[in-house]
């Protein structure tokens, strides 16, 4: 479950990405092109401390880009180079927004969803003590099964910031496809997603054991 807040962000998520994306080695599209939202989904942090959202965006007429981010209420130690920026949340205060590929919370939940056949978190608002569920903008699904063992991914040892972006953890390497919908080769346990007019599941990330 992902609790949402009806709140303002200053700057907005897309404004943060507009200044950050053109500097990424996997960026595609006009550098000055408007960054627009294509879709998005969230994962649940079991500890309830870190917001975990994946945005699909496009710069101008460029391809769809996958940008997982984490939202934290304090800086993440040792992650300065992965900081997208800070934003003021009208309900929660200052939030530090990171490229989630550096974040151990994202690595752990991505590994779990892929291997255990999980899906996106249900999103809801609290309104006058009642829970209002928001319809998902897209659906994602891990290829594993509920009883499958989940490899340890509690520590991020290294991140290779290419396409795909490779997250090296304790027992597994997680590859996050940045330009989604392209003909990249995907093998092993995989996370796929469907949104909008996409007729078939599109690969978003996959996992490779380290041992």
């Amino acid at each position: 479950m992902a609790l949402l807040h009806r709140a303002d962000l200053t700057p907005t998520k897309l404004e943060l990405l507009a200044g950050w994306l053109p500097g990424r080695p996997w960026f595609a599209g006009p550098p000055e092109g408007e960054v627009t939202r294509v879709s998005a989904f969230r994962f649940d942090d079991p500890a309830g401390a870190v917001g975990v959202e994946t945005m699909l965006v496009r710069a101008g007429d460029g391809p769809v880009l996958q940008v997982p981010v984490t939202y934290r209420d304090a800086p993440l130690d040792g992650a300065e180079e992965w900081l997208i920026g800070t934003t003021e949340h009208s309900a929660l205060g200052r939030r530090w927004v990171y490229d989630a590929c550096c974040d151990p919370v994202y690595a752990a939940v991505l590994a779990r969803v892929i291997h255990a056949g999980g899906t996106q978190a249900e999103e809801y608002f609290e309104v006058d003590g009642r829970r209002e569920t928001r319809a998902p903008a897209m659906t994602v699904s891990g290829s594993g099964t509920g009883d499958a063992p989940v490899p340890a991914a509690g520590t991020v040892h290294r991140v290779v910031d290419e396409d795909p972006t490779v997250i090296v953890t304790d027992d597994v390497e997680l590859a996050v496809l940045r330009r989604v919908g392209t003909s990249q080769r995907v093998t092993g346990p995989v996370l796929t997603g469907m949104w909008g007019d996409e007729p078939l599941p599109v690969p978003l990330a996959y996992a490779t054991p380290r041992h």
Side-chain angles (χ1 to χ4, degrees):
M1 305 288 288
L3 173 62
L4 306 178
H5 299 270
R6 291 191 169 95
D8 295 323
L9 291 176
T10 308
T12 67
K13 302 172 189 178
L14 292 180
E15 287 171 343
L16 284 176
L17 292 184
W20 177 80
L21 277 172
R24 302 304 96 203
W26 40 264
F27 174 77
E32 302 302 324
E34 180 184 5
V35 176
T36 57
R37 179 184 184 273
V38 175
S39 197
F41 63 93
R42 286 179 178 262
F43 288 142
D44 178 46
D45 170 19
V50 178
V52 184
E53 182 177 22
T54 295
M55 291 183 282
L56 301 185
V57 299
R58 177 181 279 119
D61 58 356
V64 176
L65 303 175
Q66 179 178 197
V67 186
V69 299
T70 51
Y71 306 105
R72 289 177 165 268
D73 61 5
L76 175 62
D77 288 345
E80 293 81 5
E81 68 177 296
W82 304 101
L83 180 67
I84 296 174
T86 60
T87 186
E88 295 296 329
H89 190 289
S90 60
L92 301 175
R94 178 163 295 181
R95 309 295 285 173
W96 280 257
V97 184
Y98 289 92
D99 179 342
C101 292
C102 78
D103 199 313
V105 170
Y106 173 72
V109 71
L110 179 61
R112 184 176 71 246
V113 170
I114 289 176
H115 288 89
T119 186
Q120 75 280 355
E122 185 180 54
E123 300 177 6
Y124 70 96
F125 298 96
E126 290 284 358
V127 181
D128 298 328
R130 295 180 294 105
R131 178 174 292 173
E132 289 188 1
T133 302
R134 184 167 76 173
M138 64 181 292
T139 57
V140 301
S141 179
S143 64
T145 60
D147 58 354
V150 177
T155 300
V156 174
H157 298 290
R158 183 165 54 94
V159 180
V160 181
D161 193 20
E162 299 175 355
D163 185 20
T165 295
V166 178
I167 308 167
V168 181
T169 73
D170 293 333
D171 291 339
V172 67
E173 291 188 0
L174 301 162
V176 177
L177 302 179
R178 294 298 196 167
R179 303 178 191 178
V180 300
T182 58
S183 57
Q184 296 189 56
R185 179 179 174 84
V186 175
T187 60
V190 63
L191 178 75
T192 59
M194 297 182 68
W195 67 93
D197 296 329
E198 290 291 336
L200 297 172
V202 175
L204 298 173
Y206 59 95
T208 305
R210 294 191 67 198
H211 306 291

mmCIF file of all heavy atoms in Angstrom, residues 21-22 24-31 57-65 179:
data_model
loop_
_atom_site.group_PDB
_atom_site.id
_atom_site.type_symbol
_atom_site.label_atom_id
_atom_site.label_comp_id
_atom_site.label_asym_id
_atom_site.label_seq_id
_atom_site.Cartn_x
_atom_site.Cartn_y
_atom_site.Cartn_z
ATOM 1 N N LEU A 21 17.785 15.082 -16.386
ATOM 2 C CA LEU A 21 17.829 14.048 -17.424
ATOM 3 C C LEU A 21 18.878 14.276 -18.513
ATOM 4 O O LEU A 21 19.582 13.337 -18.894
ATOM 5 C CB LEU A 21 16.445 13.892 -18.070
ATOM 6 C CG LEU A 21 15.448 13.000 -17.337
ATOM 7 C CD1 LEU A 21 14.067 13.113 -17.988
ATOM 8 C CD2 LEU A 21 15.918 11.551 -17.342
ATOM 9 N N PRO A 22 19.008 15.499 -19.068
ATOM 10 C CA PRO A 22 19.952 15.662 -20.184
ATOM 11 C C PRO A 22 21.390 15.300 -19.845
ATOM 12 O O PRO A 22 22.193 15.033 -20.738
ATOM 13 C CB PRO A 22 19.815 17.149 -20.547
ATOM 14 C CG PRO A 22 18.414 17.500 -20.134
ATOM 15 C CD PRO A 22 18.205 16.732 -18.865
ATOM 16 N N ARG A 24 22.267 12.612 -18.191
ATOM 17 C CA ARG A 24 22.419 11.158 -18.029
ATOM 18 C C ARG A 24 22.999 10.553 -19.305
ATOM 19 O O ARG A 24 22.651 10.956 -20.418
ATOM 20 C CB ARG A 24 21.077 10.487 -17.753
ATOM 21 C CG ARG A 24 20.307 10.977 -16.536
ATOM 22 C CD ARG A 24 21.127 10.877 -15.276
ATOM 23 N NE ARG A 24 21.771 12.164 -14.966
ATOM 24 C CZ ARG A 24 22.852 12.326 -14.233
ATOM 25 N NH1 ARG A 24 23.493 11.268 -13.764
ATOM 26 N NH2 ARG A 24 23.343 13.519 -13.989
ATOM 27 N N PRO A 25 23.884 9.551 -19.188
ATOM 28 C CA PRO A 25 24.478 8.939 -20.389
ATOM 29 C C PRO A 25 23.468 8.194 -21.246
ATOM 30 O O PRO A 25 23.724 7.955 -22.430
ATOM 31 C CB PRO A 25 25.534 7.984 -19.816
ATOM 32 C CG PRO A 25 25.126 7.754 -18.399
ATOM 33 C CD PRO A 25 24.468 9.016 -17.946
ATOM 34 N N TRP A 26 22.325 7.826 -20.693
ATOM 35 C CA TRP A 26 21.305 7.084 -21.430
ATOM 36 C C TRP A 26 20.160 7.978 -21.906
ATOM 37 O O TRP A 26 19.181 7.487 -22.475
ATOM 38 C CB TRP A 26 20.734 5.960 -20.553
ATOM 39 C CG TRP A 26 20.526 6.361 -19.124
ATOM 40 C CD1 TRP A 26 21.387 6.155 -18.085
ATOM 41 C CD2 TRP A 26 19.398 7.057 -18.571
ATOM 42 N NE1 TRP A 26 20.864 6.674 -16.917
ATOM 43 C CE2 TRP A 26 19.646 7.229 -17.191
ATOM 44 C CE3 TRP A 26 18.211 7.545 -19.098
ATOM 45 C CZ2 TRP A 26 18.747 7.866 -16.339
ATOM 46 C CZ3 TRP A 26 17.303 8.185 -18.268
ATOM 47 C CH2 TRP A 26 17.578 8.338 -16.900
ATOM 48 N N PHE A 27 20.284 9.271 -21.694
ATOM 49 C CA PHE A 27 19.223 10.201 -22.101
ATOM 50 C C PHE A 27 19.066 10.200 -23.618
ATOM 51 O O PHE A 27 20.043 10.104 -24.366
ATOM 52 C CB PHE A 27 19.557 11.616 -21.632
ATOM 53 C CG PHE A 27 18.587 12.666 -22.119
ATOM 54 C CD1 PHE A 27 17.347 12.816 -21.534
ATOM 55 C CD2 PHE A 27 18.932 13.499 -23.170
ATOM 56 C CE1 PHE A 27 16.454 13.775 -21.981
ATOM 57 C CE2 PHE A 27 18.048 14.464 -23.634
ATOM 58 C CZ PHE A 27 16.816 14.600 -23.036
ATOM 59 N N ALA A 28 17.825 10.304 -24.065
ATOM 60 C CA ALA A 28 17.531 10.416 -25.492
ATOM 61 C C ALA A 28 16.387 11.402 -25.662
ATOM 62 O O ALA A 28 15.426 11.389 -24.902
ATOM 63 C CB ALA A 28 17.169 9.067 -26.090
ATOM 64 N N GLY A 29 16.517 12.257 -26.686
ATOM 65 C CA GLY A 29 15.510 13.285 -26.924
ATOM 66 C C GLY A 29 16.181 14.638 -27.002
ATOM 67 O O GLY A 29 17.360 14.783 -26.668
ATOM 68 N N PRO A 30 15.462 15.661 -27.428
ATOM 69 C CA PRO A 30 16.048 17.000 -27.493
ATOM 70 C C PRO A 30 16.361 17.525 -26.092
ATOM 71 O O PRO A 30 15.491 17.467 -25.209
ATOM 72 C CB PRO A 30 14.954 17.830 -28.174
ATOM 73 C CG PRO A 30 13.689 17.064 -27.966
ATOM 74 C CD PRO A 30 14.070 15.627 -27.918
ATOM 75 N N PRO A 31 17.586 18.011 -25.837
ATOM 76 C CA PRO A 31 17.953 18.472 -24.494
ATOM 77 C C PRO A 31 17.032 19.551 -23.947
ATOM 78 O O PRO A 31 16.834 19.634 -22.734
ATOM 79 C CB PRO A 31 19.387 18.998 -24.685
ATOM 80 C CG PRO A 31 19.901 18.262 -25.866
ATOM 81 C CD PRO A 31 18.727 18.077 -26.771
ATOM 82 N N VAL A 57 8.691 8.798 -18.629
ATOM 83 C CA VAL A 57 8.608 10.164 -19.147
ATOM 84 C C VAL A 57 9.168 10.198 -20.563
ATOM 85 O O VAL A 57 9.805 9.256 -21.039
ATOM 86 C CB VAL A 57 9.374 11.160 -18.244
ATOM 87 C CG1 VAL A 57 8.795 11.180 -16.842
ATOM 88 C CG2 VAL A 57 10.863 10.841 -18.209
ATOM 89 N N ARG A 58 8.951 11.324 -21.196
ATOM 90 C CA ARG A 58 9.476 11.538 -22.551
ATOM 91 C C ARG A 58 9.934 12.989 -22.647
ATOM 92 O O ARG A 58 9.246 13.898 -22.176
ATOM 93 C CB ARG A 58 8.389 11.236 -23.583
ATOM 94 C CG ARG A 58 8.800 11.503 -25.018
ATOM 95 C CD ARG A 58 7.660 11.202 -25.981
ATOM 96 N NE ARG A 58 7.548 9.776 -26.275
ATOM 97 C CZ ARG A 58 6.487 9.047 -26.000
ATOM 98 N NH1 ARG A 58 5.437 9.591 -25.408
ATOM 99 N NH2 ARG A 58 6.455 7.763 -26.318
ATOM 100 N N ALA A 59 11.104 13.197 -23.239
ATOM 101 C CA ALA A 59 11.597 14.545 -23.499
ATOM 102 C C ALA A 59 11.309 14.879 -24.956
ATOM 103 O O ALA A 59 11.856 14.240 -25.865
ATOM 104 C CB ALA A 59 13.089 14.649 -23.219
ATOM 105 N N GLY A 60 10.434 15.858 -25.189
ATOM 106 C CA GLY A 60 10.070 16.201 -26.556
ATOM 107 C C GLY A 60 9.487 15.004 -27.274
ATOM 108 O O GLY A 60 8.591 14.319 -26.763
ATOM 109 N N ASP A 61 10.027 14.713 -28.460
ATOM 110 C CA ASP A 61 9.546 13.576 -29.247
ATOM 111 C C ASP A 61 10.464 12.361 -29.083
ATOM 112 O O ASP A 61 10.456 11.451 -29.902
ATOM 113 C CB ASP A 61 9.434 13.949 -30.723
ATOM 114 C CG ASP A 61 10.764 14.417 -31.310
ATOM 115 O OD1 ASP A 61 11.752 14.513 -30.546
ATOM 116 O OD2 ASP A 61 10.811 14.708 -32.521
ATOM 117 N N GLY A 62 11.254 12.340 -28.005
ATOM 118 C CA GLY A 62 12.177 11.232 -27.762
ATOM 119 C C GLY A 62 11.460 9.984 -27.279
ATOM 120 O O GLY A 62 10.230 9.964 -27.116
ATOM 121 N N PRO A 63 12.207 8.898 -27.039
ATOM 122 C CA PRO A 63 11.614 7.642 -26.584
ATOM 123 C C PRO A 63 11.149 7.734 -25.139
ATOM 124 O O PRO A 63 11.507 8.661 -24.403
ATOM 125 C CB PRO A 63 12.764 6.649 -26.737
ATOM 126 C CG PRO A 63 13.990 7.481 -26.539
ATOM 127 C CD PRO A 63 13.675 8.816 -27.170
ATOM 128 N N VAL A 64 10.368 6.747 -24.721
ATOM 129 C CA VAL A 64 9.935 6.672 -23.328
ATOM 130 C C VAL A 64 11.123 6.267 -22.463
ATOM 131 O O VAL A 64 11.817 5.284 -22.741
ATOM 132 C CB VAL A 64 8.785 5.664 -23.171
ATOM 133 C CG1 VAL A 64 8.401 5.521 -21.699
ATOM 134 C CG2 VAL A 64 7.575 6.100 -23.988
ATOM 135 N N LEU A 65 11.376 7.032 -21.412
ATOM 136 C CA LEU A 65 12.484 6.790 -20.495
ATOM 137 C C LEU A 65 11.944 6.353 -19.143
ATOM 138 O O LEU A 65 10.954 6.916 -18.651
ATOM 139 C CB LEU A 65 13.324 8.059 -20.323
ATOM 140 C CG LEU A 65 13.911 8.678 -21.593
ATOM 141 C CD1 LEU A 65 14.602 9.993 -21.267
ATOM 142 C CD2 LEU A 65 14.881 7.716 -22.274
ATOM 143 N N ARG A 179 15.569 3.084 -21.736
ATOM 144 C CA ARG A 179 14.757 3.392 -22.920
ATOM 145 C C ARG A 179 13.831 2.203 -23.139
ATOM 146 O O ARG A 179 14.195 1.206 -23.761
ATOM 147 C CB ARG A 179 15.642 3.635 -24.141
ATOM 148 C CG ARG A 179 16.651 4.752 -23.930
ATOM 149 C CD ARG A 179 17.533 4.926 -25.160
ATOM 150 N NE ARG A 179 18.661 5.797 -24.883
ATOM 151 C CZ ARG A 179 19.613 6.098 -25.754
ATOM 152 N NH1 ARG A 179 19.565 5.574 -26.982
ATOM 153 N NH2 ARG A 179 20.608 6.902 -25.426
#
